[in-house]
Amino acid sequence: MIRLRNLHKSYAMGASKLHVLKGIDLEVGRGELVSVMGASGSGKSTLMNILGLLDRFDEGEYRLDGEDMSELSETRAAQLRSRHIGFVFQSFHLIPFKNAVENVALPLFYQGVPRRERNRRAAEILDKVGLADRAVHLPRELSGGQQQRVAIARSLVTSPKMLLADEPTGALDSGTSYEIMKVLQSVQGDGVSVIIITHEHDIAGMTDRIIHLVDGRVDWDRSNLRREPAGHEESEVAAAAAGS
Amino acid sequence: MIDLDTWQEILDTIRSNKLRTALTGFAVAWGIFMLVVLLGSGQGLAQGVEYQFRDDAMNSIWTSSGRTSKPYKGLQPGRQIRFVNDDYDEVTTRIEGVEYSSARFMVFGNQQVNYGREYGSFNIRSVHPGHRVLERTKVTEGRYINDLDIEQFRKVAVIGILVKQALFGEQPALGELIRINGIAFKVVGIFEDEGSEQEQELIYLPISTAQRTFNGKNRVNQILFTTGQATLEQSQAMAEEARQILAENHDFDPEDKGAVFVQNAVENFQRFVSLMQGIRIFIWVVGIGTLLAGVVGVSNIMLVAVKERTREIGIRKALGATPRSIVGLILAESVLITGFAGYLGLMAGVGVLAVVSGALPAESSFFRNPQVDLRVALWATVLLVVAGAIAGFFPARRAASVQPVVALRDE
């Protein structure tokens, strides 16, 4: 699904350059539930932006479903985002003047799906995340957890191959976080690759595989064989990661 | 690129930014309003001028005799020049390009005219048949003076509509005999004239009959003719030629402006036409300037709006919006706002012109019928759409070029 080879990215900071990603090698298969951890500044958000084609990389290779992602035109990138990638952000990024169902239906608009069909599918997926009764509420009328569930519904409405979640629980309390994680875990069952960026060990503990970034490089990358179902306060791996 | 759904999207965003939309629209509405009012006023001025010229043929040259003001060939200044029939014949045959022509013999003062017991006093004007075109006389009943009338010294008269009303009331007048200073003339025609009331209180007689009847011998007071399709230069040459012929015949200095007055309507009209053109150009420049200020205003506000919506645009991009669809969205929004607001401005402008037009006195001759024609309204609409597109273009390009990650980071 995703293959990265020696990926580099640096930002110009005035005269000097900030080297953020210093050669990332990574493969993520179809239907995997992966978390990416690391301290702030380790490059995990940059990595997600590049994976989601929201940003460009300088060097190396990125293949998405076999297609080379270097030299990508903005229009092609938009197409790929539209068809294959769903995003969930820490601050939800819902459009404030659209209600829940309109927000969820928006990605379908960019796929050219007719209005009626859009609204039907949006309502369906809202029901799946348990927000059928909130369909016509504006984002500001919803709680944080509800907003994030709307955002997840929006990311899933196009049936993407890959779901990228950048600190999806960062703005939520732990109880709500676990609910969100439950939703994300259930997505995996549909064959969607889910990549979650987080700095919370318990969240990472609920994924199949944890990738740890340090200073723009993969520090370690291991399977989490004893994945916890969402709702447990502690996980062994999380504790181990905390201790390492 | 722009289908019903896109419009729905645009309407959604407009609805969520009512104040901004209203302010944006106002700038454009004002611009178009000013343009329409200015153009309408220009039209009013132009029509006022045309109204002043409507009475007579616009390609005519009028010559009338005066007194010499310069000594010439031993002759003293101050001689009264009198044109005669031969002058008329020579001017109209020797000058090339004369289309319609007429001489006038004046029967000075109001003459007493009666039909039975109805009396009135009216002015007499004795003319050739060509006079009808020169004066733009509209014969509404019967006929005008013709060549046979002139040849046979017929005692016929063509009377103005006001004369007819005064003498005949509702009775038919054609074929009846009226008496002018006691001499009987047969009414052969009735006319109207768009000029003043005075022009309709006239009685036209054949010039030959009038000369004989009113003791005029072969005297002529004015010689007038139209110049057909002649250009300004050609008509000036024709006027000069007429002056030369008359100077030769009457022994006065051709440079003597007092001996003969030559009025070239083409010249006068041309002067007004170029003046009006100047005014029109000026009005367009001012109007478009105003509109341009509106466009810049819209562009400015759209830029701010795009900046304000950077994050939203970032979100849309993350959800799969192509740069084209972003450009389309901003551009369409801009065109919609300018188009709609401009339409309101157009309507307001037309409304103001209609009110002004209704309030103007009918006899006003400086400012008449201020209005914009359909073509101008159409142009204004085209201009608006273009203006909207221009106003939206720069903000749209900016919005489309922002990297999604940068846009999303914007708080």
Side-chain angles (χ1 to χ4, degrees):
Chain A
M1 184 71 207
I2 289 174
R3 218 175 75 190
L4 300 183
R5 286 280 173 273
N6 192 29
L7 195 83
H8 284 265
K9 172 71 180 177
S10 46
Y11 291 107
M13 300 285 280
S16 64
K17 261 169 62 172
L18 185 64
H19 206 162
V20 184
L21 299 182
K22 300 168 179 169
I24 302 269
D25 293 295
L26 187 65
E27 269 182 54
V28 177
R30 199 172 299 275
E32 264 194 284
L33 176 59
V34 182
S35 57
V36 177
M37 297 196 68
S40 63
S42 60
K44 54 189 194 303
S45 282
T46 303
L47 179 63
M48 190 196 97
N49 289 333
I50 289 173
L51 289 178
L53 307 175
L54 297 175
D55 206 353
R56 294 172 185 277
F57 55 94
D58 303 329
E59 225 179 279
E61 189 190 51
Y62 171 17
R63 285 184 179 275
L64 177 62
D65 229 8
E67 189 178 339
D68 187 7
M69 294 292 115
S70 53
E71 308 291 320
L72 200 63
S73 80
E74 192 50 46
T75 306
R76 178 69 185 141
Q79 277 173 2
L80 289 171
R81 284 196 295 264
S82 171
R83 297 212 194 110
H84 302 315
I85 307 172
F87 292 93
V88 176
F89 301 95
Q90 177 175 7
S91 48
F92 323 135
H93 282 336
L94 298 175
I95 292 180
F97 54 83
K98 287 179 178 292
N99 67 30
V101 73
E102 285 169 344
N103 260 293
V104 174
L106 192 58
L108 294 174
F109 169 71
Y110 289 115
Q111 285 192 347
V113 176
R115 168 166 289 262
R116 194 171 300 221
E117 170 76 2
R118 283 206 303 269
N119 289 339
R120 191 186 62 73
R121 278 165 68 178
E124 207 177 273
I125 208 118
L126 262 184
D127 190 37
K128 253 191 195 165
V129 298
L131 282 177
D133 56 334
R134 292 278 185 274
V136 292
H137 285 59
L138 289 175
R140 65 179 138 79
E141 297 163 339
L142 300 171
S143 73
Q146 288 170 333
Q147 287 189 51
Q148 195 59 301
R149 275 190 281 167
V150 172
I152 292 173
R154 184 179 63 183
S155 70
L156 293 175
V157 75
T158 56
S159 315
K161 292 179 181 163
M162 172 164 83
L163 196 134
L164 299 172
D166 188 359
E167 306 266 9
T169 60
L172 305 172
D173 62 68
S174 58
T176 318
S177 296
Y178 296 147
E179 279 176 39
I180 294 297
M181 284 310 293
K182 243 185 245 171
V183 176
L184 289 177
Q185 282 177 343
S186 73
V187 167
Q188 184 197 13
D190 302 335
V192 182
S193 310
V194 182
I195 300 173
I196 298 168
I197 292 183
T198 184
H199 61 266
E200 294 165 78
H201 297 292
D202 52 338
I203 296 299
M206 296 170 209
T207 60
D208 294 338
R209 179 180 160 197
I210 301 170
I211 297 162
H212 198 253
L213 293 188
V214 172
D215 199 18
R217 289 192 182 88
V218 176
D219 182 33
W220 49 262
D221 176 352
R222 62 175 80 131
S223 299
N224 182 16
L225 293 174
R226 305 187 53 190
R227 182 183 115 182
E228 301 290 326
H232 281 244
E233 292 294 318
E234 290 292 324
S235 100
E236 238 176 74
V237 174
S244 70
Chain B
M1 183 167 77
I2 301 207
D3 51 17
L4 193 69
D5 280 332
T6 311
W7 286 115
Q8 195 65 44
E9 273 292 296
I10 293 160
L11 287 179
D12 279 351
T13 50
I14 286 177
R15 220 175 286 140
S16 63
N17 292 292
K18 288 195 189 82
L19 179 67
R20 197 193 77 209
T21 306
L23 288 174
T24 312
F26 181 75
V28 175
W30 186 250
I32 278 288
F33 174 77
M34 289 309 289
L35 181 67
V36 167
V37 168
L38 278 170
L39 288 178
S41 308
Q43 189 75 10
L45 273 175
Q47 282 183 352
V49 169
E50 268 166 37
Y51 181 78
Q52 289 181 321
F53 277 98
R54 82 207 173 286
D55 186 15
D56 307 322
M58 289 189 195
N59 57 348
S60 57
I61 291 175
W62 300 54
T63 59
S64 35
S65 56
R67 247 174 229 282
T68 56
S69 60
K70 292 179 182 171
Y72 186 69
K73 290 186 178 170
L75 294 165
Q76 290 292 318
R79 274 182 307 131
Q80 175 71 47
I81 301 295
R82 289 178 195 280
F83 296 161
V84 293
N85 284 345
D86 287 348
D87 293 324
Y88 170 72
D89 292 340
E90 233 178 292
V91 164
T92 52
T93 51
R94 264 177 62 183
I95 299 175
E96 221 167 288
V98 172
E99 195 185 20
Y100 296 95
S101 63
S102 175
R104 275 180 181 182
F105 165 65
M106 297 294 193
V107 183
F108 286 98
N110 283 357
Q111 307 298 317
Q112 200 156 72
V113 182
N114 75 297
Y115 169 68
R117 278 192 214 156
E118 298 295 331
Y119 285 83
S121 97
F122 301 103
N123 270 314
I124 307 294
R125 199 180 269 171
S126 69
V127 297
H128 287 94
H131 194 274
R132 187 179 56 80
V133 177
L134 277 147
E135 190 62 62
R136 289 198 178 168
T137 308
K138 282 191 206 147
V139 177
T140 52
E141 263 182 82
R143 63 173 178 84
Y144 198 68
I145 311 288
N146 63 25
D147 288 326
L148 276 178
D149 296 336
I150 306 281
E151 269 173 45
Q152 301 178 357
F153 304 94
R154 284 181 182 165
K155 289 203 174 97
V156 294
V158 180
I159 61 176
I161 183 77
L162 296 178
V163 178
K164 189 257 172 190
Q165 281 164 7
L167 296 180
F168 295 91
E170 296 301 309
Q171 306 283 320
L174 284 187
E176 298 296 320
L177 288 180
I178 55 172
R179 288 178 184 276
I180 302 173
N181 285 349
I183 300 155
F185 286 82
K186 187 169 156 192
V187 176
V188 295
I190 297 167
F191 72 89
E192 287 177 22
D193 194 297
E194 284 202 339
S196 56
E197 291 231 320
Q198 280 180 349
E199 287 288 336
Q200 310 204 79
E201 280 181 321
L202 278 174
I203 296 173
Y204 284 117
L205 302 179
I207 188 166
S208 55
T209 318
Q211 282 169 335
R212 185 177 277 188
T213 314
F214 297 99
N215 198 24
K217 299 192 182 121
N218 61 348
R219 274 211 328 262
V220 162
N221 301 87
Q222 288 180 314
I223 297 168
L224 19 149
F225 56 88
T226 62
T227 57
Q229 299 298 314
T231 61
L232 178 59
E233 285 73 24
Q234 285 167 335
S235 76
Q236 280 165 336
M238 289 164 83
E240 204 40 54
E241 216 176 323
R243 186 186 286 282
Q244 291 288 350
I245 291 169
L246 294 170
E248 254 170 57
N249 291 356
H250 296 277
D251 287 327
F252 62 82
D253 187 342
E255 299 300 311
D256 190 344
K257 301 288 181 197
V260 56
F261 305 106
V262 178
Q263 237 190 338
N264 189 346
V266 183
E267 216 168 26
N268 288 345
F269 187 64
Q270 210 67 35
R271 209 172 296 141
F272 270 102
V273 165
S274 49
L275 177 73
M276 287 322 298
Q277 250 160 6
I279 291 177
R280 250 172 240 206
I281 289 168
F282 174 73
I283 281 172
W284 270 102
V285 168
V286 172
I288 288 181
T290 315
L291 192 64
L292 216 62
V295 168
V296 171
V298 172
S299 209
N300 229 331
I301 295 174
M302 290 303 289
L303 265 176
V304 173
V306 164
K307 183 104 189 65
E308 216 171 71
R309 287 167 61 189
T310 306
R311 208 155 73 109
E312 181 198 324
I313 289 167
I315 297 171
R316 285 176 186 276
K317 282 188 164 181
L319 298 182
T322 57
R324 263 180 66 170
S325 80
I326 297 289
V327 169
L329 189 73
I330 307 288
L331 220 58
E333 185 179 328
S334 169
V335 168
L336 190 73
I337 293 175
T338 39
F340 183 69
Y343 181 73
L344 288 184
L346 191 72
M347 288 296 110
V350 169
V352 164
L353 288 179
V355 168
V356 169
S357 195
L360 280 178
E363 281 302 303
S364 160
S365 57
F366 289 104
F367 196 80
R368 289 184 70 82
N369 287 333
Q371 60 184 12
V372 285
D373 60 20
L374 198 70
R375 230 174 6 172
V376 172
L378 219 70
W379 266 110
T381 314
V382 169
L383 209 67
L384 268 180
V385 175
V386 172
I390 293 172
F393 176 71
F394 295 101
R397 203 179 53 174
R398 184 201 160 100
S401 67
V402 179
Q403 275 281 323
V405 63
V406 177
L408 283 170
R409 213 178 286 139
D410 189 84
E411 290 298 331

